[in-house]
Amino acid sequence: MPARTRQPLRYPPHPTPEDPVSPHPSRRTLLVSAAALAVAAGPLTATARAAGRTPKVLVIGLDGALLSRIKDADAPNLDALMAAGLTAPSSIYANPLASTLSGPGWSTLITGVWPDKHNVKDNTFTGNRFDRYPDFVTRVETARPDLSTYAVSSWAPITDTVFSAKADTRVSTPSSEYDTGTTARAVDKLRSGDPDAVFVQLDGIDHAGHSYGAASQQYLDAIHTADAQVGQIVAAVKARPAYPDEDWLIMVTADHGHTDAGGHGGSTLAERQTFLIATGPTLAPGSVRHDVKMPDVAASALAHLGIALDPAWDLDGRPVQQPAPDDFDALRGQLATRADETGIPAGPAGFTHTPPPGWSVDNSAMGGGGVTEWRGWSFTTDEFWTQAQRDQNRECNVRARNVFAVADGDEWSDKAVTGTFDSTLVSPAYPVTGGRAATLTYTTFYRQEAPQKGEVLVSYDDGTPVSVRTYTADVPSRTERLTLQVPAGAGTVRVRFRYTGGNNWYWVVDGVKITQS
């Protein structure tokens, strides 16, 4: 799909004199600003909760913004937010799941589910499932109609289509006003009203990306302008008379990235980039995480407002305030740079064959040779694995987070091999109570080509492994939940993921856990 038509820029490339931000603040100013934000939006203490501080949410969307370029730009307000809270770079999908366009991007951020659920594939919104997966403001209004909700955007489809009429106020800024009008409306609402959930979308960065490219000075200038507008909005929050009695979760995010030359919609890592900058309860100042995904914005907003996340909603997001790292995530600091892969840049670290404590990889039947990175089960990241070869659906591995395990016969076979790919990922021995059902949960993404096969086996007290699930057909990214009947007297269960094949496709596994009720 072609990129959407952009309105012309209608505001100066740098803050006007009345903007509350110096265009070139000193380092001391930045540190003072960061400290103030840290105090204002720091962890919610038991004392503050007991004092009855009112939870409120502000989401600011910067269309087409790249985190790497924000760090290059003169952006003191965004720098201060990063210093005061969490910065979480992440990546999104590509076709065939959906294009890296604004329609799918904003729909994912606002509904808390990936495109395979909300069904927005491009900017037409054709076939959307907002009736089944509504925006987070609609969920707020349904659960707590007493709360005040407000959404304003420079790109009209967000407030005309993605947010439903249940929002108390939806405003699509006239094109003649563009981001200047959007900012003014948000500031006025925050100063004169009493909103509980506010969403603001600014479009100028994406406009500059289309017109000049993400590598241009104009793109940096657009970030600088948006940064000043973010500063005005955050200042309006802090200027509220009731601010000392309020507990604000502030989140800044983007719907997609941009290429250096300009544009998006494709599968390059630059186009698939997004991020979350957040300040609020439990989010440590200056922290960086890699387990955050786009749908977490909606889930985090709901959780902060005290709205329980109903499992029937089938959300993909989880509250950023409640991190849930798995065993594989601990490997991020041990990842190595490329060995044989040529499509992956030389700098980024992204793979290891060394499993986390308690895990092992059985390569006793594994063939020889092949590409080093993918010989047997490997532990890797999206930003590393997807660059091995684009447009083979690896970009659709959306439900794995941070570091995950992959068996990739296709990439392994890109160098001369002997034998076949036969590797087994073996879990720790999880404690269980015999005679009761247990649930094996894991995230999977499997692409099939015969004679390839994926098999899940379990063994009790290290007895003979028994097959509980076999994969011989494509399985899209999803979370599997398998019920296990634990034999009487058993005290442990161990899980094995065995991939066999050759120059075929791949299998991703992540988030493995055993639970018993």
Side-chain angles (χ1 to χ4, degrees):
M1 295 292 295
R4 53 191 162 93
T5 301
R6 294 289 170 172
Q7 298 295 331
L9 289 170
R10 306 229 180 233
Y11 51 86
H14 293 283
T16 56
E18 64 269 25
D19 286 330
V21 180
S22 168
H24 299 290
S26 67
R27 176 174 174 79
R28 180 181 181 277
T29 300
L30 288 178
L31 292 174
V32 170
S33 299
L37 282 167
V39 171
L44 181 62
T45 64
T47 301
R49 191 179 296 277
R53 290 173 63 194
T54 304
K56 293 180 181 286
V57 170
L58 168 64
V59 180
I60 303 174
L62 304 179
D63 207 298
L66 284 165
L67 180 62
S68 60
R69 296 298 275 161
I70 288 174
K71 293 178 178 179
D72 292 338
D74 180 15
N77 293 286
L78 292 168
D79 288 344
L81 287 169
M82 286 188 275
L86 168 69
T87 303
S90 67
S91 51
I92 59 173
Y93 41 77
N95 281 321
L97 191 62
S99 301
T100 49
L101 296 174
S102 289
W106 290 121
S107 298
T108 299
L109 286 159
I110 292 168
T111 64
V113 298
W114 292 109
D116 55 358
K117 291 181 181 177
H118 63 62
N119 204 42
V120 176
K121 305 294 187 181
D122 51 43
N123 289 340
T124 68
F125 296 91
T126 302
N128 75 75
R129 300 189 65 201
F130 295 148
D131 56 339
R132 172 69 178 86
Y133 299 102
D135 62 275
F136 74 90
V137 164
T138 293
R139 295 201 186 277
V140 169
E141 291 290 350
T142 301
R144 292 281 309 277
D146 58 304
L147 297 183
S148 174
T149 57
Y150 181 84
V152 59
S153 67
S154 295
W155 191 50
I158 295 173
T159 36
D160 291 349
T161 303
V162 184
F163 284 104
S164 83
K166 279 205 167 187
D168 289 324
T169 306
R170 297 180 300 166
V171 181
S172 300
T173 301
S175 59
S176 60
E177 300 177 20
Y178 206 49
D179 286 354
T180 301
T182 297
T183 302
R185 284 171 170 78
V187 166
D188 181 67
K189 185 67 175 180
L190 288 163
R191 285 178 175 169
S192 62
D194 190 24
D196 297 289
V198 177
F199 177 91
V200 185
Q201 182 259 357
L202 301 174
D203 210 48
I205 298 171
D206 193 38
H207 181 103
H210 283 289
S211 298
Y212 305 105
S216 69
Q217 181 60 45
Q218 291 91 334
Y219 187 83
L220 293 179
D221 291 343
I223 292 174
H224 180 82
T225 300
D227 177 81
Q229 292 162 341
V230 169
Q232 293 177 53
I233 296 167
V234 173
V237 169
K238 296 168 66 176
R240 291 172 52 79
Y243 181 70
D245 299 317
E246 295 173 343
D247 175 41
W248 282 87
L249 172 64
I250 299 175
M251 294 184 282
V252 182
T253 188
D255 54 336
H256 54 71
H258 257 285
T259 64
D260 281 354
H264 56 89
S267 62
T268 66
L269 192 60
E271 293 166 279
R272 296 176 54 237
Q273 289 304 286
T274 184
F275 62 88
L276 177 66
I277 298 169
T279 62
T282 75
L283 303 178
S287 57
V288 176
R289 279 170 45 192
H290 298 275
D291 64 318
V292 176
K293 290 288 193 176
M294 284 181 96
D296 296 352
V297 171
S300 302
L302 292 166
H304 184 70
L305 293 171
I307 296 170
L309 305 184
D310 188 339
W313 294 347
D314 194 26
L315 296 183
D316 291 316
R318 68 188 188 198
V320 71
Q321 311 94 312
Q322 303 167 21
D326 67 5
D327 291 346
F328 301 157
D329 293 348
L331 297 175
R332 180 167 280 270
Q334 304 172 35
L335 302 178
T337 56
R338 73 183 192 191
D340 294 331
E341 284 285 5
T342 57
I344 301 172
F351 88 99
T352 182
H353 289 297
T354 303
W359 289 79
S360 62
V361 175
D362 180 0
N363 280 341
S364 59
M366 183 69 197
V371 174
T372 299
E373 288 90 333
W374 317 116
R375 186 175 184 274
W377 280 95
S378 302
F379 304 93
T380 188
T381 65
D382 176 89
E383 58 267 26
F384 191 88
W385 183 51
T386 55
Q387 291 189 93
Q389 181 62 58
R390 284 170 37 211
D391 296 320
Q392 293 182 339
N393 291 21
R394 291 178 181 84
E395 299 88 0
C396 300
N397 177 41
V398 291
R399 290 180 176 87
R401 293 174 180 255
N402 202 351
V403 179
F404 50 85
V406 63
D408 191 336
D410 173 67
E411 284 301 300
W412 172 66
S413 300
D414 280 355
K415 287 183 68 177
V417 303
T418 59
T420 60
F421 194 114
D422 189 339
S423 182
T424 303
L425 174 65
V426 185
S427 81
Y430 297 106
V432 290
T433 300
R436 294 171 50 193
T439 301
L440 166 61
T441 305
Y442 58 95
T443 297
T444 193
F445 178 47
Y446 182 87
R447 190 172 183 192
Q448 168 71 20
E449 183 184 58
Q452 174 187 317
K453 182 172 74 171
E455 192 172 17
V456 183
L457 307 100
V458 299
S459 60
Y460 299 97
D461 296 335
D462 285 328
T464 302
V466 176
S467 179
V468 294
R469 174 61 58 89
T470 300
Y471 295 97
T472 55
D474 288 352
V475 176
S477 177
R478 71 187 187 195
T479 300
E480 301 277 39
R481 293 179 178 86
L482 307 183
T483 300
L484 308 178
Q485 299 300 327
V486 181
T492 64
V493 59
R494 198 182 297 272
V495 186
R496 290 171 169 81
F497 300 89
R498 184 184 180 191
Y499 171 106
T500 56
N503 187 12
N504 305 126
W505 285 121
Y506 46 76
W507 188 14
V508 175
V509 171
D510 196 25
V512 181
K513 62 181 179 180
I514 295 282
T515 56
Q516 278 186 305
S517 57

PDB file of all heavy atoms in Angstrom, residues 462-483:
ATOM      1  N   ASP A 462      12.278 -37.538  35.012  1.00  0.00           N
ATOM      2  CA  ASP A 462      13.284 -37.921  34.029  1.00  0.00           C
ATOM      3  C   ASP A 462      13.097 -39.336  33.493  1.00  0.00           C
ATOM      4  O   ASP A 462      14.064 -40.022  33.129  1.00  0.00           O
ATOM      5  CB  ASP A 462      14.691 -37.728  34.591  1.00  0.00           C
ATOM      6  CG  ASP A 462      15.090 -36.262  34.629  1.00  0.00           C
ATOM      7  OD1 ASP A 462      14.634 -35.503  33.753  1.00  0.00           O
ATOM      8  OD2 ASP A 462      15.848 -35.869  35.534  1.00  0.00           O
ATOM      9  N   GLY A 463      11.829 -39.736  33.380  1.00  0.00           N
ATOM     10  CA  GLY A 463      11.505 -41.002  32.735  1.00  0.00           C
ATOM     11  C   GLY A 463      11.487 -40.843  31.223  1.00  0.00           C
ATOM     12  O   GLY A 463      12.027 -39.882  30.662  1.00  0.00           O
ATOM     13  N   THR A 464      10.859 -41.759  30.539  1.00  0.00           N
ATOM     14  CA  THR A 464      10.809 -41.752  29.077  1.00  0.00           C
ATOM     15  C   THR A 464       9.975 -40.574  28.574  1.00  0.00           C
ATOM     16  O   THR A 464       8.821 -40.409  28.999  1.00  0.00           O
ATOM     17  CB  THR A 464      10.201 -43.059  28.553  1.00  0.00           C
ATOM     18  OG1 THR A 464      10.975 -44.163  29.029  1.00  0.00           O
ATOM     19  CG2 THR A 464      10.167 -43.075  27.028  1.00  0.00           C
ATOM     20  N   PRO A 465      10.519 -39.737  27.680  1.00  0.00           N
ATOM     21  CA  PRO A 465       9.742 -38.618  27.140  1.00  0.00           C
ATOM     22  C   PRO A 465       8.553 -39.107  26.311  1.00  0.00           C
ATOM     23  O   PRO A 465       8.657 -40.075  25.550  1.00  0.00           O
ATOM     24  CB  PRO A 465      10.749 -37.873  26.262  1.00  0.00           C
ATOM     25  CG  PRO A 465      12.092 -38.267  26.795  1.00  0.00           C
ATOM     26  CD  PRO A 465      11.932 -39.687  27.237  1.00  0.00           C
ATOM     27  N   VAL A 466       7.432 -38.418  26.474  1.00  0.00           N
ATOM     28  CA  VAL A 466       6.202 -38.742  25.760  1.00  0.00           C
ATOM     29  C   VAL A 466       5.770 -37.522  24.950  1.00  0.00           C
ATOM     30  O   VAL A 466       5.755 -36.400  25.470  1.00  0.00           O
ATOM     31  CB  VAL A 466       5.082 -39.141  26.742  1.00  0.00           C
ATOM     32  CG1 VAL A 466       3.770 -39.392  25.999  1.00  0.00           C
ATOM     33  CG2 VAL A 466       5.488 -40.367  27.544  1.00  0.00           C
ATOM     34  N   SER A 467       5.406 -37.724  23.692  1.00  0.00           N
ATOM     35  CA  SER A 467       4.993 -36.632  22.828  1.00  0.00           C
ATOM     36  C   SER A 467       3.619 -36.104  23.236  1.00  0.00           C
ATOM     37  O   SER A 467       2.681 -36.878  23.444  1.00  0.00           O
ATOM     38  CB  SER A 467       4.960 -37.092  21.373  1.00  0.00           C
ATOM     39  OG  SER A 467       4.534 -36.051  20.522  1.00  0.00           O
ATOM     40  N   VAL A 468       3.501 -34.760  23.359  1.00  0.00           N
ATOM     41  CA  VAL A 468       2.215 -34.153  23.701  1.00  0.00           C
ATOM     42  C   VAL A 468       1.731 -33.183  22.622  1.00  0.00           C
ATOM     43  O   VAL A 468       0.591 -32.735  22.678  1.00  0.00           O
ATOM     44  CB  VAL A 468       2.292 -33.416  25.060  1.00  0.00           C
ATOM     45  CG1 VAL A 468       2.517 -34.401  26.188  1.00  0.00           C
ATOM     46  CG2 VAL A 468       3.371 -32.336  25.053  1.00  0.00           C
ATOM     47  N   ARG A 469       2.577 -32.828  21.678  1.00  0.00           N
ATOM     48  CA  ARG A 469       2.160 -31.967  20.574  1.00  0.00           C
ATOM     49  C   ARG A 469       3.163 -32.116  19.436  1.00  0.00           C
ATOM     50  O   ARG A 469       4.373 -32.129  19.659  1.00  0.00           O
ATOM     51  CB  ARG A 469       2.093 -30.510  21.020  1.00  0.00           C
ATOM     52  CG  ARG A 469       1.806 -29.475  19.931  1.00  0.00           C
ATOM     53  CD  ARG A 469       0.454 -29.672  19.229  1.00  0.00           C
ATOM     54  NE  ARG A 469      -0.651 -29.626  20.159  1.00  0.00           N
ATOM     55  CZ  ARG A 469      -1.309 -28.529  20.520  1.00  0.00           C
ATOM     56  NH1 ARG A 469      -0.926 -27.365  20.044  1.00  0.00           N
ATOM     57  NH2 ARG A 469      -2.323 -28.593  21.338  1.00  0.00           N
ATOM     58  N   THR A 470       2.645 -32.229  18.206  1.00  0.00           N
ATOM     59  CA  THR A 470       3.486 -32.322  17.021  1.00  0.00           C
ATOM     60  C   THR A 470       3.091 -31.229  16.041  1.00  0.00           C
ATOM     61  O   THR A 470       1.891 -30.957  15.855  1.00  0.00           O
ATOM     62  CB  THR A 470       3.345 -33.698  16.349  1.00  0.00           C
ATOM     63  OG1 THR A 470       3.745 -34.716  17.265  1.00  0.00           O
ATOM     64  CG2 THR A 470       4.200 -33.794  15.101  1.00  0.00           C
ATOM     65  N   TYR A 471       4.089 -30.596  15.432  1.00  0.00           N
ATOM     66  CA  TYR A 471       3.851 -29.554  14.435  1.00  0.00           C
ATOM     67  C   TYR A 471       4.325 -30.038  13.070  1.00  0.00           C
ATOM     68  O   TYR A 471       5.509 -30.323  12.881  1.00  0.00           O
ATOM     69  CB  TYR A 471       4.606 -28.279  14.799  1.00  0.00           C
ATOM     70  CG  TYR A 471       4.138 -27.634  16.080  1.00  0.00           C
ATOM     71  CD1 TYR A 471       4.817 -27.869  17.274  1.00  0.00           C
ATOM     72  CD2 TYR A 471       3.029 -26.794  16.107  1.00  0.00           C
ATOM     73  CE1 TYR A 471       4.399 -27.282  18.460  1.00  0.00           C
ATOM     74  CE2 TYR A 471       2.600 -26.200  17.283  1.00  0.00           C
ATOM     75  CZ  TYR A 471       3.295 -26.445  18.459  1.00  0.00           C
ATOM     76  OH  TYR A 471       2.872 -25.865  19.632  1.00  0.00           O
ATOM     77  N   THR A 472       3.388 -30.129  12.134  1.00  0.00           N
ATOM     78  CA  THR A 472       3.730 -30.479  10.755  1.00  0.00           C
ATOM     79  C   THR A 472       2.990 -29.573   9.765  1.00  0.00           C
ATOM     80  O   THR A 472       2.893 -29.895   8.583  1.00  0.00           O
ATOM     81  CB  THR A 472       3.388 -31.951  10.453  1.00  0.00           C
ATOM     82  OG1 THR A 472       2.011 -32.192  10.763  1.00  0.00           O
ATOM     83  CG2 THR A 472       4.272 -32.898  11.257  1.00  0.00           C
ATOM     84  N   ALA A 473       2.465 -28.466  10.252  1.00  0.00           N
ATOM     85  CA  ALA A 473       1.813 -27.457   9.415  1.00  0.00           C
ATOM     86  C   ALA A 473       2.090 -26.088  10.027  1.00  0.00           C
ATOM     87  O   ALA A 473       2.397 -25.980  11.220  1.00  0.00           O
ATOM     88  CB  ALA A 473       0.308 -27.720   9.327  1.00  0.00           C
ATOM     89  N   ASP A 474       1.983 -25.058   9.221  1.00  0.00           N
ATOM     90  CA  ASP A 474       2.251 -23.710   9.704  1.00  0.00           C
ATOM     91  C   ASP A 474       1.402 -23.372  10.929  1.00  0.00           C
ATOM     92  O   ASP A 474       0.193 -23.668  10.966  1.00  0.00           O
ATOM     93  CB  ASP A 474       1.958 -22.675   8.620  1.00  0.00           C
ATOM     94  CG  ASP A 474       2.981 -22.689   7.492  1.00  0.00           C
ATOM     95  OD1 ASP A 474       3.998 -23.396   7.609  1.00  0.00           O
ATOM     96  OD2 ASP A 474       2.749 -21.982   6.490  1.00  0.00           O
ATOM     97  N   VAL A 475       2.029 -22.734  11.901  1.00  0.00           N
ATOM     98  CA  VAL A 475       1.326 -22.232  13.075  1.00  0.00           C
ATOM     99  C   VAL A 475       1.727 -20.781  13.253  1.00  0.00           C
ATOM    100  O   VAL A 475       2.908 -20.488  13.477  1.00  0.00           O
ATOM    101  CB  VAL A 475       1.678 -23.035  14.339  1.00  0.00           C
ATOM    102  CG1 VAL A 475       1.007 -22.418  15.566  1.00  0.00           C
ATOM    103  CG2 VAL A 475       1.253 -24.495  14.185  1.00  0.00           C
ATOM    104  N   PRO A 476       0.785 -19.831  13.149  1.00  0.00           N
ATOM    105  CA  PRO A 476       1.130 -18.428  13.340  1.00  0.00           C
ATOM    106  C   PRO A 476       1.555 -18.163  14.778  1.00  0.00           C
ATOM    107  O   PRO A 476       1.338 -18.993  15.677  1.00  0.00           O
ATOM    108  CB  PRO A 476      -0.171 -17.692  13.004  1.00  0.00           C
ATOM    109  CG  PRO A 476      -1.245 -18.699  13.281  1.00  0.00           C
ATOM    110  CD  PRO A 476      -0.655 -20.033  12.926  1.00  0.00           C
ATOM    111  N   SER A 477       2.138 -17.016  15.001  1.00  0.00           N
ATOM    112  CA  SER A 477       2.566 -16.647  16.350  1.00  0.00           C
ATOM    113  C   SER A 477       1.377 -16.704  17.302  1.00  0.00           C
ATOM    114  O   SER A 477       0.348 -16.062  17.078  1.00  0.00           O
ATOM    115  CB  SER A 477       3.152 -15.240  16.338  1.00  0.00           C
ATOM    116  OG  SER A 477       3.506 -14.836  17.639  1.00  0.00           O
ATOM    117  N   ARG A 478       1.526 -17.504  18.357  1.00  0.00           N
ATOM    118  CA  ARG A 478       0.444 -17.634  19.324  1.00  0.00           C
ATOM    119  C   ARG A 478       0.980 -18.213  20.621  1.00  0.00           C
ATOM    120  O   ARG A 478       2.112 -18.717  20.681  1.00  0.00           O
ATOM    121  CB  ARG A 478      -0.684 -18.504  18.784  1.00  0.00           C
ATOM    122  CG  ARG A 478      -0.363 -19.997  18.681  1.00  0.00           C
ATOM    123  CD  ARG A 478      -1.477 -20.759  17.987  1.00  0.00           C
ATOM    124  NE  ARG A 478      -1.277 -22.208  18.018  1.00  0.00           N
ATOM    125  CZ  ARG A 478      -1.937 -23.056  17.244  1.00  0.00           C
ATOM    126  NH1 ARG A 478      -2.834 -22.594  16.360  1.00  0.00           N
ATOM    127  NH2 ARG A 478      -1.719 -24.358  17.331  1.00  0.00           N
ATOM    128  N   THR A 479       0.170 -18.152  21.651  1.00  0.00           N
ATOM    129  CA  THR A 479       0.506 -18.763  22.935  1.00  0.00           C
ATOM    130  C   THR A 479      -0.204 -20.093  23.051  1.00  0.00           C
ATOM    131  O   THR A 479      -1.430 -20.167  22.899  1.00  0.00           O
ATOM    132  CB  THR A 479       0.097 -17.839  24.099  1.00  0.00           C
ATOM    133  OG1 THR A 479       0.799 -16.602  23.983  1.00  0.00           O
ATOM    134  CG2 THR A 479       0.430 -18.473  25.436  1.00  0.00           C
ATOM    135  N   GLU A 480       0.563 -21.145  23.281  1.00  0.00           N
ATOM    136  CA  GLU A 480       0.008 -22.484  23.446  1.00  0.00           C
ATOM    137  C   GLU A 480      -0.192 -22.786  24.930  1.00  0.00           C
ATOM    138  O   GLU A 480       0.651 -22.433  25.760  1.00  0.00           O
ATOM    139  CB  GLU A 480       0.956 -23.538  22.858  1.00  0.00           C
ATOM    140  CG  GLU A 480       1.253 -23.362  21.378  1.00  0.00           C
ATOM    141  CD  GLU A 480       0.188 -23.953  20.477  1.00  0.00           C
ATOM    142  OE1 GLU A 480      -1.016 -23.828  20.816  1.00  0.00           O
ATOM    143  OE2 GLU A 480       0.541 -24.540  19.445  1.00  0.00           O
ATOM    144  N   ARG A 481      -1.274 -23.457  25.258  1.00  0.00           N
ATOM    145  CA  ARG A 481      -1.530 -23.926  26.620  1.00  0.00           C
ATOM    146  C   ARG A 481      -1.958 -25.379  26.539  1.00  0.00           C
ATOM    147  O   ARG A 481      -3.055 -25.685  26.068  1.00  0.00           O
ATOM    148  CB  ARG A 481      -2.605 -23.061  27.290  1.00  0.00           C
ATOM    149  CG  ARG A 481      -2.156 -21.625  27.531  1.00  0.00           C
ATOM    150  CD  ARG A 481      -3.250 -20.774  28.174  1.00  0.00           C
ATOM    151  NE  ARG A 481      -2.772 -19.418  28.446  1.00  0.00           N
ATOM    152  CZ  ARG A 481      -2.789 -18.419  27.580  1.00  0.00           C
ATOM    153  NH1 ARG A 481      -3.268 -18.630  26.347  1.00  0.00           N
ATOM    154  NH2 ARG A 481      -2.333 -17.222  27.905  1.00  0.00           N
ATOM    155  N   LEU A 482      -1.064 -26.268  26.971  1.00  0.00           N
ATOM    156  CA  LEU A 482      -1.312 -27.705  26.905  1.00  0.00           C
ATOM    157  C   LEU A 482      -1.568 -28.242  28.304  1.00  0.00           C
ATOM    158  O   LEU A 482      -0.790 -27.990  29.227  1.00  0.00           O
ATOM    159  CB  LEU A 482      -0.120 -28.437  26.281  1.00  0.00           C
ATOM    160  CG  LEU A 482       0.387 -27.924  24.915  1.00  0.00           C
ATOM    161  CD1 LEU A 482       1.526 -28.807  24.426  1.00  0.00           C
ATOM    162  CD2 LEU A 482      -0.746 -27.883  23.898  1.00  0.00           C
ATOM    163  N   THR A 483      -2.650 -28.990  28.463  1.00  0.00           N
ATOM    164  CA  THR A 483      -2.961 -29.607  29.748  1.00  0.00           C
ATOM    165  C   THR A 483      -2.217 -30.924  29.867  1.00  0.00           C
ATOM    166  O   THR A 483      -2.295 -31.786  28.971  1.00  0.00           O
ATOM    167  CB  THR A 483      -4.467 -29.848  29.886  1.00  0.00           C
ATOM    168  OG1 THR A 483      -5.149 -28.585  29.796  1.00  0.00           O
ATOM    169  CG2 THR A 483      -4.802 -30.490  31.222  1.00  0.00           C
TER     170      THR A 483
END
